[in-house]
Amino acid sequence: MKTFAAREGNGYILNGTKSSLVTNAGIADAYFIIARTAMDKPLRESLSIFYVPTDTPGIKFGKKTQMIGWKASHHAEICLDNVLVPAQNLIGQEGEAGKLLMLVPEVAIGLAASYVGLARAAYEYALNYAKQRVSWGRPIIEHQAVALKLADMMINTQAARLVVWDAARTAETSPQLAATVKAPAAKTFAVDVAIKNAQTAVEILGGYGVTKECLAGKFLADATIGYSCDFTREVLRLGIVNFL
Ligand SMILES: Cc1cc2nc3c(=O)[nH]c(=O)nc-3n(C[C@H](O)[C@H](O)[C@H](O)COP(=O)(O)OP(=O)(O)OC[C@H]3O[C@@H](n4cnc5c(N)ncnc54)[C@H](O)[C@@H]3O)c2cc1C
């Protein structure tokens, strides 16, 4: 954590640089910035969240980051150079970032749901192709090697959908359980399924699968971004284990 917030009169001064992947950096109206407010405490007890409107003096944004997929999204770096915010822009108390984030499962659940959609799109795209493409005298869906792949795609998509629904249901009754275990589990599982389905779609589409004329490669690029967006597969799993 390389962004710091120092108490200054009736406010805080923020300094630091955020990754070039911050979602909507430069086009959003405001940002929730996590910064360290105490150096004499362990990291998890010294992180705080600040609400920073985009027109606050000292906040600057990098140019749009070019990614391998997610063409419609916008990501850029945020630089904070002596950004002064009033104390009331501190969300909760100092050091409460971790505690507050443990009550917000919605981001991971939303991402997970979108990855179920991507897994489904890859499955339906491959299914449709496999019914039409004829090789060795029959549609390729009638070759068992292809049929088994399609069955796995359907099964995994349905499993991911149910995990996401379970996380969403849990969020209504037990937000902390959802935020610490079920939502990250749903997000990482749905991304795994989306990546796997997109890879399989590329395979089922054969040579056509690696061309830009077909959507399978786009699905794979979009799915792969999910691996590290909103914490990586590994970090999500290590986090979940802390609450088992
Ligand atoms: C589409 C997208 C949107 C994003 N939006 C935002 C945003 O709005 N705001 C924001 O702040 N950030 C955002 N990010 C950044 C994102 O949170 C980070 O990229 C992500 O958490 C991974 O961090 P990193 O890139 O520093 O990878 P690293 O931490 O360098 O990880 C590299 C590799 O090492 C592994 N690794 C790292 N640490 C450990 C560990 N302790 N144990 C085991 N393995 C480990 C990782 O799993 C990964 O495989 C976004 C990223 C993407 C891709």
Side-chain angles (χ1 to χ4, degrees):
M1 175 56 63
K2 292 178 185 159
T3 299
F4 300 94
R7 188 80 205 216
E8 176 83 11
N10 197 25
Y12 289 86
I13 293 187
L14 278 65
N15 277 292
T17 302
K18 293 287 181 181
S19 119
S20 61
L21 287 162
V22 176
T23 306
N24 291 336
I27 60 173
D29 292 335
Y31 302 87
F32 291 105
I33 303 278
I34 298 181
R36 198 156 185 192
T37 39
M39 295 304 291
D40 55 343
K41 292 183 183 168
L43 191 62
R44 67 176 61 209
E45 293 170 26
S46 62
L47 297 179
S48 309
I49 307 181
F50 294 89
Y51 176 78
V52 182
T54 200
D55 56 1
T56 311
I59 185 164
K60 295 182 201 116
F61 308 98
K63 64 179 184 347
K64 179 177 175 174
T65 301
Q66 298 300 320
M67 300 200 301
I68 59 171
W70 282 32
K71 297 293 182 199
S73 67
H74 183 100
H75 307 269
E77 188 178 73
I78 296 184
C79 296
L80 303 141
D81 182 11
N82 286 318
V83 171
L84 175 64
V85 293
Q88 69 201 35
N89 287 26
L90 171 68
I91 312 286
Q93 303 295 316
E94 282 188 22
E96 279 194 346
K99 190 173 134 190
L100 292 169
L101 290 174
M102 270 194 238
L103 295 172
V104 190
E106 286 81 3
V107 176
I109 293 172
L111 275 168
S114 68
Y115 275 95
V116 172
L118 184 48
R120 191 187 94 178
Y123 159 64
E124 290 178 350
Y125 195 70
L127 177 67
N128 189 41
Y129 184 83
K131 285 179 177 174
Q132 292 175 21
R133 166 73 176 161
V134 174
S135 96
W136 295 34
R138 59 176 66 172
I140 61 171
I141 194 170
E142 292 181 18
H143 298 306
Q144 279 193 346
V146 175
L148 291 173
K149 284 179 177 166
L150 287 164
D152 282 342
M153 290 169 95
M154 186 282 290
I155 293 165
N156 287 333
T157 304
Q158 181 61 4
R161 181 180 291 121
L162 294 176
V163 171
V164 175
W165 283 354
D166 180 50
R169 194 182 302 111
T170 304
E172 291 190 354
T173 53
S174 179
Q176 188 158 344
L177 175 63
T180 53
V181 177
K182 294 202 174 185
K187 188 260 171 176
T188 192
F189 185 67
V191 169
D192 285 352
V193 170
I195 292 173
K196 183 76 185 120
N197 275 12
Q199 277 173 342
T200 309
V202 171
E203 292 166 13
I204 290 176
L205 272 90
Y208 185 47
V210 297
T211 69
K212 285 200 167 173
E213 285 168 40
C214 105
L215 287 177
K218 175 190 174 320
F219 292 148
L220 186 54
D222 287 344
T224 307
I225 290 175
Y227 191 97
S228 52
C229 164
D230 200 35
F231 302 113
T232 64
R233 186 178 197 282
E234 291 73 27
V235 170
L236 286 174
R237 279 166 170 70
L238 291 170
I240 289 168
V241 168
N242 289 328
F243 297 92
L244 298 183

